[in-house]
Amino acid sequence: MQQVVASDAPLSVEELPANAQLVLVFGARSALQRPDLYEALRSHCAQACIVGCSTAGEICGTSVSDGTVVVTVVEFADTRVRVATATVAHPQDSRAVGKALTTELLDEGLRHILVVSDGLLVNGSELVQGLRDPLPEGVNVTGGLAGDGADFVQTTVLANGPAASGQVAAIGFYGERLHVGYGSVGGWDVFGPERIVTRSEGNVLYGLDNESALQLYKTYLGSHAANLPSSGLLFPMSMRVPGAQAPVVRTILAVNEQDQSMTFAGDIPQEATVQLMKANFNRLVDGAIDAAQVNQSQLQGRAAQWAVLISCIGRKLVLKQRIEEETEGVAAILGPQAVLCGFYSYGEIAPHGAFTPCELHNQTMTVTTFTED
């Protein structure tokens, strides 16, 4: 397994193994859209599945960078890899697209699915619901939504072709020798009263306790309200749906002053209970470490050989110069033999634990580990 990082210069692929099964590419949108990037990778790794997305920050080992491209080339001893792709024309198509992707990947020996999706044109929670509906027992999904720094203008996915918006790519891993672990932990503190969602449509929130949700939100944000929607990354919402096993976190993608609405990365169902959250520096780092520890327990003593880290842009904005503390914490748990790659996202996809279905999360660090016997 090898990695290469490029900035403004053309990508150098000569040192990469040409017979790899999988090439993961995470980078800034402008870098990912360079036509020479995919062409160089395809010409050198002719047989590989090449998948990636734009980000809000790239992870290579314990380093976090912006404006670069991180390429991770993965060679398996006895694991097969397949990729299914689809395009979302409208957020309402998200569940159907997710179901179609998983259905396409269903085959003997399927062990795990890793997904990367456009981060602005899909309804993330509906996509996840569709992905998990056809899953056989013992198989789960992890992944994340593409990012665009703190700009929220356009996100792109690269899937065996040039990067484009509106795409979703799902990677299926097959083989009895492959073992996968996953964990997702936040680390935010709740504050303020709990409120009931009284008016919403999909991932668009209008009313809390029969009042304007946007106005209530602005009241709690105070001076930060002037910088919405980006400042909303610092104040996500904890959401508990009646009957759900655990709360999930939702963060804002956009606000609409005309209809006083807020658009989130995933559904905000009516009758759900929500509460604002704020950062706790030490708990954010501890959350990343906890996610790695959950992985270790699932691998049952096996050492992780490769790990994909997907963390939220909101965590990056809060931790700032301390951001590498969470990647260093994960590396310390997984050990020096584990190759780390990943990105900062607009939404994270992972189960809460080993025996729970995958969910869309915001403001979490998710860790997916792979190892072969």
Side-chain angles (χ1 to χ4, degrees), residues 102-161:
T102 294
T103 301
E104 184 176 342
L105 293 175
L106 292 178
D107 202 353
E108 183 178 356
L110 178 65
R111 300 304 295 266
H112 190 73
I113 294 175
L114 180 69
V115 62
V116 290
S117 167
D118 186 285
L120 294 174
L121 300 179
V122 303
N123 181 323
S125 55
E126 285 292 293
L127 174 68
V128 169
Q129 183 64 55
L131 285 164
R132 76 188 195 189
D133 279 349
L135 282 176
E137 186 176 354
V139 179
N140 229 317
V141 176
T142 58
L145 307 185
D148 183 26
D151 295 334
F152 291 87
V153 174
Q154 182 188 36
T155 63
T156 59
V157 168
L158 182 156
N160 284 335

Side-chain angles (χ1 to χ4, degrees), residues 6 9 28 32 43 46 50 52 63 94 117 131 161 214 243 250 259 280 286 290 294 309 337:
L32 214 69
S43 63
I50 303 176
S63 298
S94 299
S117 167
L131 285 164
L214 181 57
R250 291 286 182 263
D259 61 12
N280 179 313
D286 289 344
D290 289 345
V294 171
L309 280 56
Q337 80 292 332

